[in-house]
Amino acid sequence: MLALEQRCRELRARGRRLEQTLPRRVSSEQQREALGLLCRVHELELKNAEMQSQALLRDGALRHRREALRRLEQRRSLCEEIIRAQRQLIQDCNLAVPQHLKELYEVYLREQEEGNLERATMMDRLASRALQVGARAGQCAPVLGAGLMPRAAPASK
């Protein structure tokens, strides 16, 4: 990446030098004008390449974050399923539940309810931000975090 950036700086400097020296070598006004337009095209192509590079970097970072969120969501779902299955097994077998385990389960339920509220609040903020950005840009903006919709809280058993 550093080598590519260095190469870009070198080519940019070389382009500036050529832009300064070529007009002296060109004899007619039309050739100077064509050369100026050609230089402008190259500048715009360079800016376009820079913007595409930045977009690719952002896309890569977003993809990485989405994958991390997906893995965390899978893990959370697995943990919830294990807890539900264990609760059901305790109830089905009529097992005595120690007080500290009851307290841990109550904490788990509270945190789960708070998590659902936090996810709903976050989705509301993201949707509002997306609408504001879309309104400024004059177009519809995609809602970020669509995979983070809150799930219904499990029924207490």
Side-chain angles (χ1 to χ4, degrees), residues 4 13-15 17 26-27 29 34 38 41 52 61 66-67 79 88 91 96 105 115 127 148 152 154:
L4 188 58
R14 182 176 173 216
R17 285 192 304 271
V26 176
S27 58
E29 188 60 36
L38 188 59
V41 166
Q52 287 176 351
R66 284 186 199 122
E67 180 60 23
C79 290
Q88 190 63 48
Q91 286 179 348
Y105 188 70
L148 301 176

PDB file of all heavy atoms in Angstrom, residues 4 13-15 17 26-27 29 34 38 41 52 61 66-67 79 88 91 96 105 115 127 148 152 154:
ATOM      1  N   LEU A   4       2.449   1.805  -3.362  1.00  0.00           N
ATOM      2  CA  LEU A   4       1.469   2.326  -4.313  1.00  0.00           C
ATOM      3  C   LEU A   4       1.254   3.823  -4.101  1.00  0.00           C
ATOM      4  O   LEU A   4       1.197   4.592  -5.065  1.00  0.00           O
ATOM      5  CB  LEU A   4       0.153   1.571  -4.158  1.00  0.00           C
ATOM      6  CG  LEU A   4      -0.927   1.855  -5.185  1.00  0.00           C
ATOM      7  CD1 LEU A   4      -0.436   1.563  -6.591  1.00  0.00           C
ATOM      8  CD2 LEU A   4      -2.164   1.041  -4.880  1.00  0.00           C
ATOM      9  N   ALA A  13       3.989  14.127  -9.348  1.00  0.00           N
ATOM     10  CA  ALA A  13       5.067  15.113  -9.497  1.00  0.00           C
ATOM     11  C   ALA A  13       5.577  15.138 -10.942  1.00  0.00           C
ATOM     12  O   ALA A  13       5.823  16.215 -11.508  1.00  0.00           O
ATOM     13  CB  ALA A  13       6.209  14.791  -8.530  1.00  0.00           C
ATOM     14  N   ARG A  14       5.716  13.970 -11.529  1.00  0.00           N
ATOM     15  CA  ARG A  14       6.165  13.889 -12.932  1.00  0.00           C
ATOM     16  C   ARG A  14       5.144  14.573 -13.851  1.00  0.00           C
ATOM     17  O   ARG A  14       5.515  15.292 -14.780  1.00  0.00           O
ATOM     18  CB  ARG A  14       6.340  12.430 -13.337  1.00  0.00           C
ATOM     19  CG  ARG A  14       6.842  12.255 -14.733  1.00  0.00           C
ATOM     20  CD  ARG A  14       7.101  10.794 -15.041  1.00  0.00           C
ATOM     21  NE  ARG A  14       7.424  10.634 -16.438  1.00  0.00           N
ATOM     22  CZ  ARG A  14       7.072   9.617 -17.165  1.00  0.00           C
ATOM     23  NH1 ARG A  14       6.406   8.623 -16.632  1.00  0.00           N
ATOM     24  NH2 ARG A  14       7.397   9.551 -18.430  1.00  0.00           N
ATOM     25  N   GLY A  15       3.854  14.355 -13.571  1.00  0.00           N
ATOM     26  CA  GLY A  15       2.806  14.995 -14.362  1.00  0.00           C
ATOM     27  C   GLY A  15       2.874  16.506 -14.256  1.00  0.00           C
ATOM     28  O   GLY A  15       2.697  17.220 -15.255  1.00  0.00           O
ATOM     29  N   ARG A  17       5.566  18.284 -13.631  1.00  0.00           N
ATOM     30  CA  ARG A  17       6.748  18.744 -14.389  1.00  0.00           C
ATOM     31  C   ARG A  17       6.450  18.764 -15.882  1.00  0.00           C
ATOM     32  O   ARG A  17       6.801  19.716 -16.589  1.00  0.00           O
ATOM     33  CB  ARG A  17       7.943  17.843 -14.082  1.00  0.00           C
ATOM     34  CG  ARG A  17       8.571  18.085 -12.731  1.00  0.00           C
ATOM     35  CD  ARG A  17       9.917  17.390 -12.582  1.00  0.00           C
ATOM     36  NE  ARG A  17       9.839  15.947 -12.826  1.00  0.00           N
ATOM     37  CZ  ARG A  17       9.577  15.034 -11.883  1.00  0.00           C
ATOM     38  NH1 ARG A  17       9.353  15.406 -10.643  1.00  0.00           N
ATOM     39  NH2 ARG A  17       9.536  13.759 -12.180  1.00  0.00           N
ATOM     40  N   VAL A  26       5.347  23.179 -27.313  1.00  0.00           N
ATOM     41  CA  VAL A  26       4.241  23.184 -28.262  1.00  0.00           C
ATOM     42  C   VAL A  26       4.206  24.534 -28.966  1.00  0.00           C
ATOM     43  O   VAL A  26       4.304  25.588 -28.340  1.00  0.00           O
ATOM     44  CB  VAL A  26       2.915  22.907 -27.527  1.00  0.00           C
ATOM     45  CG1 VAL A  26       1.745  22.997 -28.463  1.00  0.00           C
ATOM     46  CG2 VAL A  26       2.973  21.538 -26.861  1.00  0.00           C
ATOM     47  N   SER A  27       4.035  24.478 -30.279  1.00  0.00           N
ATOM     48  CA  SER A  27       4.151  25.714 -31.050  1.00  0.00           C
ATOM     49  C   SER A  27       2.829  26.455 -31.228  1.00  0.00           C
ATOM     50  O   SER A  27       2.776  27.670 -31.089  1.00  0.00           O
ATOM     51  CB  SER A  27       4.756  25.416 -32.427  1.00  0.00           C
ATOM     52  OG  SER A  27       3.940  24.464 -33.096  1.00  0.00           O
ATOM     53  N   GLU A  29      -1.288  27.555 -30.610  1.00  0.00           N
ATOM     54  CA  GLU A  29      -2.245  27.777 -29.523  1.00  0.00           C
ATOM     55  C   GLU A  29      -3.209  26.603 -29.390  1.00  0.00           C
ATOM     56  O   GLU A  29      -3.568  26.213 -28.289  1.00  0.00           O
ATOM     57  CB  GLU A  29      -3.012  29.074 -29.785  1.00  0.00           C
ATOM     58  CG  GLU A  29      -3.904  29.506 -28.641  1.00  0.00           C
ATOM     59  CD  GLU A  29      -3.139  29.767 -27.341  1.00  0.00           C
ATOM     60  OE1 GLU A  29      -2.005  30.272 -27.387  1.00  0.00           O
ATOM     61  OE2 GLU A  29      -3.689  29.432 -26.273  1.00  0.00           O
ATOM     62  N   ALA A  34      -5.201  21.872 -26.481  1.00  0.00           N
ATOM     63  CA  ALA A  34      -5.425  20.423 -26.455  1.00  0.00           C
ATOM     64  C   ALA A  34      -4.602  19.775 -25.349  1.00  0.00           C
ATOM     65  O   ALA A  34      -5.089  18.888 -24.623  1.00  0.00           O
ATOM     66  CB  ALA A  34      -5.078  19.811 -27.813  1.00  0.00           C
ATOM     67  N   LEU A  38      -5.956  17.764 -22.161  1.00  0.00           N
ATOM     68  CA  LEU A  38      -5.462  16.414 -21.894  1.00  0.00           C
ATOM     69  C   LEU A  38      -4.938  16.302 -20.452  1.00  0.00           C
ATOM     70  O   LEU A  38      -5.214  15.313 -19.758  1.00  0.00           O
ATOM     71  CB  LEU A  38      -4.365  16.056 -22.898  1.00  0.00           C
ATOM     72  CG  LEU A  38      -3.868  14.625 -22.904  1.00  0.00           C
ATOM     73  CD1 LEU A  38      -5.015  13.661 -23.189  1.00  0.00           C
ATOM     74  CD2 LEU A  38      -2.777  14.461 -23.939  1.00  0.00           C
ATOM     75  N   VAL A  41      -7.867  16.102 -18.159  1.00  0.00           N
ATOM     76  CA  VAL A  41      -8.456  14.759 -18.189  1.00  0.00           C
ATOM     77  C   VAL A  41      -7.664  13.819 -17.289  1.00  0.00           C
ATOM     78  O   VAL A  41      -8.236  13.056 -16.507  1.00  0.00           O
ATOM     79  CB  VAL A  41      -8.508  14.216 -19.639  1.00  0.00           C
ATOM     80  CG1 VAL A  41      -8.785  12.728 -19.660  1.00  0.00           C
ATOM     81  CG2 VAL A  41      -9.554  14.964 -20.438  1.00  0.00           C
ATOM     82  N   GLN A  52     -12.095   6.022  -5.993  1.00  0.00           N
ATOM     83  CA  GLN A  52     -12.407   4.598  -6.053  1.00  0.00           C
ATOM     84  C   GLN A  52     -11.602   3.828  -5.012  1.00  0.00           C
ATOM     85  O   GLN A  52     -12.114   2.912  -4.371  1.00  0.00           O
ATOM     86  CB  GLN A  52     -12.129   4.053  -7.453  1.00  0.00           C
ATOM     87  CG  GLN A  52     -13.132   4.495  -8.488  1.00  0.00           C
ATOM     88  CD  GLN A  52     -12.765   4.012  -9.886  1.00  0.00           C
ATOM     89  OE1 GLN A  52     -11.677   3.488 -10.125  1.00  0.00           O
ATOM     90  NE2 GLN A  52     -13.688   4.199 -10.825  1.00  0.00           N
ATOM     91  N   ALA A  61     -13.623  -2.169   5.014  1.00  0.00           N
ATOM     92  CA  ALA A  61     -13.815  -1.984   6.453  1.00  0.00           C
ATOM     93  C   ALA A  61     -15.245  -2.315   6.853  1.00  0.00           C
ATOM     94  O   ALA A  61     -15.486  -2.977   7.873  1.00  0.00           O
ATOM     95  CB  ALA A  61     -13.464  -0.552   6.859  1.00  0.00           C
ATOM     96  N   ARG A  66     -19.281  -5.912   9.283  1.00  0.00           N
ATOM     97  CA  ARG A  66     -20.501  -6.721   9.128  1.00  0.00           C
ATOM     98  C   ARG A  66     -20.239  -8.179   9.474  1.00  0.00           C
ATOM     99  O   ARG A  66     -21.060  -8.837  10.114  1.00  0.00           O
ATOM    100  CB  ARG A  66     -21.037  -6.611   7.703  1.00  0.00           C
ATOM    101  CG  ARG A  66     -21.748  -5.316   7.433  1.00  0.00           C
ATOM    102  CD  ARG A  66     -22.379  -5.330   6.041  1.00  0.00           C
ATOM    103  NE  ARG A  66     -22.652  -3.986   5.629  1.00  0.00           N
ATOM    104  CZ  ARG A  66     -22.179  -3.415   4.527  1.00  0.00           C
ATOM    105  NH1 ARG A  66     -21.423  -4.094   3.703  1.00  0.00           N
ATOM    106  NH2 ARG A  66     -22.479  -2.163   4.244  1.00  0.00           N
ATOM    107  N   GLU A  67     -19.105  -8.702   9.035  1.00  0.00           N
ATOM    108  CA  GLU A  67     -18.759 -10.093   9.316  1.00  0.00           C
ATOM    109  C   GLU A  67     -18.558 -10.289  10.819  1.00  0.00           C
ATOM    110  O   GLU A  67     -19.017 -11.296  11.384  1.00  0.00           O
ATOM    111  CB  GLU A  67     -17.497 -10.493   8.549  1.00  0.00           C
ATOM    112  CG  GLU A  67     -17.053 -11.911   8.754  1.00  0.00           C
ATOM    113  CD  GLU A  67     -18.078 -12.959   8.330  1.00  0.00           C
ATOM    114  OE1 GLU A  67     -18.953 -12.665   7.494  1.00  0.00           O
ATOM    115  OE2 GLU A  67     -18.002 -14.090   8.847  1.00  0.00           O
ATOM    116  N   CYS A  79     -25.837 -18.925  22.343  1.00  0.00           N
ATOM    117  CA  CYS A  79     -25.899 -18.836  23.807  1.00  0.00           C
ATOM    118  C   CYS A  79     -27.350 -18.785  24.280  1.00  0.00           C
ATOM    119  O   CYS A  79     -27.718 -19.452  25.257  1.00  0.00           O
ATOM    120  CB  CYS A  79     -25.136 -17.609  24.305  1.00  0.00           C
ATOM    121  SG  CYS A  79     -23.349 -17.752  24.112  1.00  0.00           S
ATOM    122  N   GLN A  88     -35.421 -25.291  29.917  1.00  0.00           N
ATOM    123  CA  GLN A  88     -36.471 -26.272  29.632  1.00  0.00           C
ATOM    124  C   GLN A  88     -36.147 -27.609  30.292  1.00  0.00           C
ATOM    125  O   GLN A  88     -37.027 -28.255  30.875  1.00  0.00           O
ATOM    126  CB  GLN A  88     -36.635 -26.450  28.118  1.00  0.00           C
ATOM    127  CG  GLN A  88     -37.842 -27.252  27.732  1.00  0.00           C
ATOM    128  CD  GLN A  88     -39.142 -26.566  28.153  1.00  0.00           C
ATOM    129  OE1 GLN A  88     -39.332 -25.382  27.920  1.00  0.00           O
ATOM    130  NE2 GLN A  88     -40.026 -27.311  28.802  1.00  0.00           N
ATOM    131  N   GLN A  91     -36.860 -27.384  33.966  1.00  0.00           N
ATOM    132  CA  GLN A  91     -38.300 -27.435  34.224  1.00  0.00           C
ATOM    133  C   GLN A  91     -38.867 -28.828  33.967  1.00  0.00           C
ATOM    134  O   GLN A  91     -39.656 -29.342  34.768  1.00  0.00           O
ATOM    135  CB  GLN A  91     -39.033 -26.407  33.352  1.00  0.00           C
ATOM    136  CG  GLN A  91     -38.855 -24.997  33.823  1.00  0.00           C
ATOM    137  CD  GLN A  91     -39.570 -23.992  32.927  1.00  0.00           C
ATOM    138  OE1 GLN A  91     -40.023 -24.338  31.836  1.00  0.00           O
ATOM    139  NE2 GLN A  91     -39.650 -22.750  33.383  1.00  0.00           N
ATOM    140  N   ALA A  96     -34.280 -28.823  41.247  1.00  0.00           N
ATOM    141  CA  ALA A  96     -34.167 -27.681  42.154  1.00  0.00           C
ATOM    142  C   ALA A  96     -33.090 -26.754  41.590  1.00  0.00           C
ATOM    143  O   ALA A  96     -32.015 -27.196  41.175  1.00  0.00           O
ATOM    144  CB  ALA A  96     -33.787 -28.148  43.548  1.00  0.00           C
ATOM    145  N   TYR A 105     -29.983 -15.959  36.159  1.00  0.00           N
ATOM    146  CA  TYR A 105     -30.968 -15.984  35.083  1.00  0.00           C
ATOM    147  C   TYR A 105     -31.777 -14.686  35.052  1.00  0.00           C
ATOM    148  O   TYR A 105     -32.084 -14.165  33.981  1.00  0.00           O
ATOM    149  CB  TYR A 105     -31.885 -17.201  35.212  1.00  0.00           C
ATOM    150  CG  TYR A 105     -32.777 -17.364  34.010  1.00  0.00           C
ATOM    151  CD1 TYR A 105     -32.252 -17.740  32.781  1.00  0.00           C
ATOM    152  CD2 TYR A 105     -34.140 -17.109  34.079  1.00  0.00           C
ATOM    153  CE1 TYR A 105     -33.047 -17.879  31.659  1.00  0.00           C
ATOM    154  CE2 TYR A 105     -34.957 -17.238  32.967  1.00  0.00           C
ATOM    155  CZ  TYR A 105     -34.409 -17.617  31.755  1.00  0.00           C
ATOM    156  OH  TYR A 105     -35.199 -17.743  30.645  1.00  0.00           O
ATOM    157  N   GLY A 115     -30.895  -5.063  26.107  1.00  0.00           N
ATOM    158  CA  GLY A 115     -30.242  -5.189  24.799  1.00  0.00           C
ATOM    159  C   GLY A 115     -31.224  -4.980  23.665  1.00  0.00           C
ATOM    160  O   GLY A 115     -30.916  -4.334  22.663  1.00  0.00           O
ATOM    161  N   ALA A 127     -31.655   4.953  11.331  1.00  0.00           N
ATOM    162  CA  ALA A 127     -32.660   5.303  10.330  1.00  0.00           C
ATOM    163  C   ALA A 127     -32.785   6.823  10.215  1.00  0.00           C
ATOM    164  O   ALA A 127     -32.861   7.366   9.107  1.00  0.00           O
ATOM    165  CB  ALA A 127     -34.008   4.681  10.699  1.00  0.00           C
ATOM    166  N   LEU A 148     -29.393  -5.772  12.110  1.00  0.00           N
ATOM    167  CA  LEU A 148     -29.363  -5.627  13.546  1.00  0.00           C
ATOM    168  C   LEU A 148     -30.737  -5.386  14.148  1.00  0.00           C
ATOM    169  O   LEU A 148     -30.871  -4.829  15.216  1.00  0.00           O
ATOM    170  CB  LEU A 148     -28.447  -4.443  13.928  1.00  0.00           C
ATOM    171  CG  LEU A 148     -27.005  -4.552  13.454  1.00  0.00           C
ATOM    172  CD1 LEU A 148     -26.266  -3.294  13.824  1.00  0.00           C
ATOM    173  CD2 LEU A 148     -26.326  -5.744  14.069  1.00  0.00           C
ATOM    174  N   ALA A 152     -37.674 -10.266  19.257  1.00  0.00           N
ATOM    175  CA  ALA A 152     -38.644 -10.257  20.348  1.00  0.00           C
ATOM    176  C   ALA A 152     -38.028 -10.946  21.554  1.00  0.00           C
ATOM    177  O   ALA A 152     -37.295 -11.935  21.430  1.00  0.00           O
ATOM    178  CB  ALA A 152     -39.903 -10.982  19.917  1.00  0.00           C
ATOM    179  N   PRO A 154     -37.610 -13.342  24.598  1.00  0.00           N
ATOM    180  CA  PRO A 154     -38.186 -14.669  24.820  1.00  0.00           C
ATOM    181  C   PRO A 154     -39.178 -14.620  25.973  1.00  0.00           C
ATOM    182  O   PRO A 154     -38.996 -13.894  26.938  1.00  0.00           O
ATOM    183  CB  PRO A 154     -36.976 -15.553  25.136  1.00  0.00           C
ATOM    184  CG  PRO A 154     -35.933 -14.615  25.621  1.00  0.00           C
ATOM    185  CD  PRO A 154     -36.209 -13.305  24.945  1.00  0.00           C
TER     186      PRO A 154
END
